[in-house]
Amino acid sequence: MATLDSSIVNIALPTLTKELHADLYQVKWVVIVYLLAITCVLLPFGRLSDIYGRKRVMLSGFLVFIISSILCGGAPTLVSLVMARLLQGIGAAMLMANGPAIITATFPTGERGKALGILAMVVSSGLISGPSVGGALISSFDWRAIFFINIPIGMLGVFLAKKYLGKDPAPKSRATFDWTGAVLQLLFILTFTVIMEPPAISIAGSAPLPLARWLLATVCLLFGYLFYRFEQQAKSPLVDFSLFRIRSFWMANLGAFFTFVSFSAVFVLTPFFMEEVLRFTPDRAGLLMTAVPLTILVVAPVSGRLSDRLGTSGLCSFGALIAALTLFWMAGATGFGYEPNISLVAMTTSLSLIGLSSGLFQSPNNSAIMEDVPFAKLSVASALLATFRNLGLVTGTGLSASLFAWRFEQTGDYTSSIHLAFLVAGAVSLASMVISLGRGRKTRGRQR
């Protein structure tokens, strides 16, 4: 349900701009605030689950998600929709922080991989069905249906969780929650995100003045430094910074961040190109967008097996290179790009190549992140992996939408504006390739 609501909204963005009388510059916050909320509270809810019980937090997450979905579907304005999506992101984080942990705690070592593989298939099914389900709901009803569909799914989730999830074991001793660390990491992530798009401040009715990026960057670094120093001294830290002494861990996370920054341009802007330039209906656009997750579903398991034999660096680098070349192709840098006369074969091929690059990159990169992590710190490492992934999606969504809006304001041309965003996204993919190459092959096994 959480992944479905990430992909299902992207296909609705062109419709929301018309129905809510807004532009992409404003509507993008429907996506950004959801991902940002997840990113900001994923680590705190993971820690709270360890303290107060995973089942309790997961049930609360379902209830928050149901209530927020009702608010999203009934939102009369863009502002109210964004606020409801903020609450929905909090509910999604409560669910995401617990799924892998519950499976890891429930299944023995011999069955755990298979169980986590089934979870990965469910996640992929959410991404796969999002665009097509969203397009069909919008075409048959309206955009509000993409949120109301969560209500029966959430109610079923509450029923199944109550019936089948075991009772949370009583903790041997009640650990303390790192509230200071949670607040500092929240402030750090927020300031990092708004560097891409500084907010404007109006004093006593004066003309809005945007905050300087250098000032925001300075404040961001200050919060990051304070968070690091406090976590080093905390008895029960939110983040174990000793993990970042592991070369493969921090480099693979950085590579994942850049990769998801680049992919965001495709996920956010391609539906606009299909519906505004090619004049596709939402259901047709959604059907074409499924080429990305369908290819991932086929390629990711194969690349995961190959990484066990060939190492992770080469596959990740190759995947990032394919992404960069495809984005340059889509941007018209090779003499061909997204144009009003583009064929369906070319559209499907470009999206399938993005799916191929993602499938080649993600499984080996996740293995690189986890392979050298001490066994006792796997849960923390998993939460950090998800945090970097979501932070990349948030940053990429804001960057690509801002580039598009700036270029469109200058030229009034949809196609050239999308080309600029894709060109920058391709350069970011090249950065991910360089990082993956610099990481090197696996050098040691997991510490226990």
Side-chain angles (χ1 to χ4, degrees), residues 317-339:
S317 303
F318 186 48
L321 177 61
I322 292 176
L325 294 176
T326 304
L327 285 163
F328 289 147
W329 177 39
M330 293 161 66
T334 59
F336 169 84
Y338 274 19
E339 302 289 348

Side-chain angles (χ1 to χ4, degrees), residues 137-331:
L137 288 172
I138 294 170
S139 297
S140 301
F141 303 99
D142 63 14
W143 65 268
R144 300 180 187 277
I146 66 175
F147 297 110
F148 289 140
I149 193 68
N150 293 323
I151 299 172
I153 300 174
M155 293 175 67
L156 178 62
V158 171
F159 170 76
L160 293 175
K162 279 190 172 183
K163 184 174 182 179
Y164 291 108
L165 290 185
K167 186 178 180 181
D168 291 315
K172 295 180 180 179
S173 61
R174 182 70 73 186
T176 57
F177 180 73
D178 182 12
W179 288 104
T180 304
V183 172
L184 288 173
Q185 70 99 33
L186 170 66
L187 293 173
F188 169 72
I189 291 174
L190 286 175
T191 52
F192 178 85
T193 304
V194 298
I195 289 174
M196 294 293 174
E197 187 180 344
I201 296 178
S202 178
I203 301 175
S206 62
L209 296 174
L211 291 174
R213 282 190 172 87
W214 67 265
L215 178 60
L216 288 171
T218 303
V219 174
C220 178
L221 290 173
L222 176 61
F223 284 135
Y225 174 75
L226 291 174
F227 177 54
Y228 171 76
R229 289 303 300 266
F230 185 84
E231 294 299 278
Q232 292 289 86
Q233 301 171 9
K235 293 182 179 179
S236 301
L238 194 68
V239 175
D240 187 347
F241 277 96
S242 66
L243 290 172
F244 290 94
R245 300 189 190 121
I246 304 172
R247 178 184 175 89
S248 62
F249 179 81
W250 72 262
M251 291 193 74
N253 268 307
L254 186 60
F257 171 78
F258 281 124
T259 295
F260 282 100
V261 168
S262 64
F263 286 159
S264 294
V266 178
F267 300 148
V268 172
L269 296 179
T270 300
F272 274 91
F273 178 78
M274 291 181 181
E275 296 184 34
E276 298 297 330
V277 178
L278 303 182
R279 300 299 177 186
F280 286 0
T281 58
D283 55 340
R284 189 181 184 189
L287 186 62
L288 274 177
M289 287 296 294
T290 57
V292 177
L294 275 175
T295 310
I296 295 173
L297 186 64
V298 174
V299 175
V302 177
S303 68
R305 294 191 189 98
L306 286 175
S307 67
D308 290 334
R309 299 168 55 187
L310 305 177
T312 60
S313 178
L315 287 169
C316 292
S317 303
F318 186 48
L321 177 61
I322 292 176
L325 294 176
T326 304
L327 285 163
F328 289 147
W329 177 39
M330 293 161 66

Side-chain angles (χ1 to χ4, degrees), residues 38-61:
I38 295 173
T39 307
C40 288
V41 300
L42 192 60
L43 286 170
F45 275 124
R47 181 62 179 151
L48 285 171
S49 299
D50 289 336
I51 297 174
Y52 296 103
R54 299 185 181 106
K55 181 177 181 179
R56 181 182 298 178
V57 173
M58 175 165 266
L59 281 171
S60 301

Side-chain angles (χ1 to χ4, degrees), residues 10-19 22-24 27 268-282 285 338-342 347 404 408 412-415 417-418:
N10 286 340
I11 202 69
L13 291 180
T15 301
L16 290 175
T17 59
K18 300 170 185 175
E19 295 291 330
D23 55 25
L24 175 60
V27 167
V268 172
L269 296 179
T270 300
F272 274 91
F273 178 78
M274 291 181 181
E275 296 184 34
E276 298 297 330
V277 178
L278 303 182
R279 300 299 177 186
F280 286 0
T281 58
Y338 274 19
E339 302 289 348
N341 60 348
I342 189 174
M347 281 289 302
F404 173 88
F408 187 74
D413 181 53
Y414 250 89
T415 304
S417 302
I418 289 175

Side-chain angles (χ1 to χ4, degrees), residues 287-408:
L287 186 62
L288 274 177
M289 287 296 294
T290 57
V292 177
L294 275 175
T295 310
I296 295 173
L297 186 64
V298 174
V299 175
V302 177
S303 68
R305 294 191 189 98
L306 286 175
S307 67
D308 290 334
R309 299 168 55 187
L310 305 177
T312 60
S313 178
L315 287 169
C316 292
S317 303
F318 186 48
L321 177 61
I322 292 176
L325 294 176
T326 304
L327 285 163
F328 289 147
W329 177 39
M330 293 161 66
T334 59
F336 169 84
Y338 274 19
E339 302 289 348
N341 60 348
I342 189 174
S343 66
L344 286 178
V345 173
M347 281 289 302
T348 305
T349 300
S350 64
L351 292 172
S352 297
L353 285 172
I354 291 296
L356 172 64
S357 65
S358 180
L360 284 172
F361 181 88
Q362 287 193 54
S363 294
N365 198 67
N366 290 349
S367 296
I369 290 172
M370 304 300 290
E371 65 187 5
D372 290 335
V373 173
F375 190 76
K377 300 178 181 179
L378 287 178
S379 296
V380 176
S382 179
L384 283 168
L385 187 159
T387 300
F388 272 91
R389 179 181 67 238
N390 280 284
L391 190 58
L393 289 170
V394 172
T395 305
T397 299
L399 177 62
S400 59
S402 296
L403 287 170
F404 173 88
W406 174 79
R407 180 68 174 175
F408 187 74

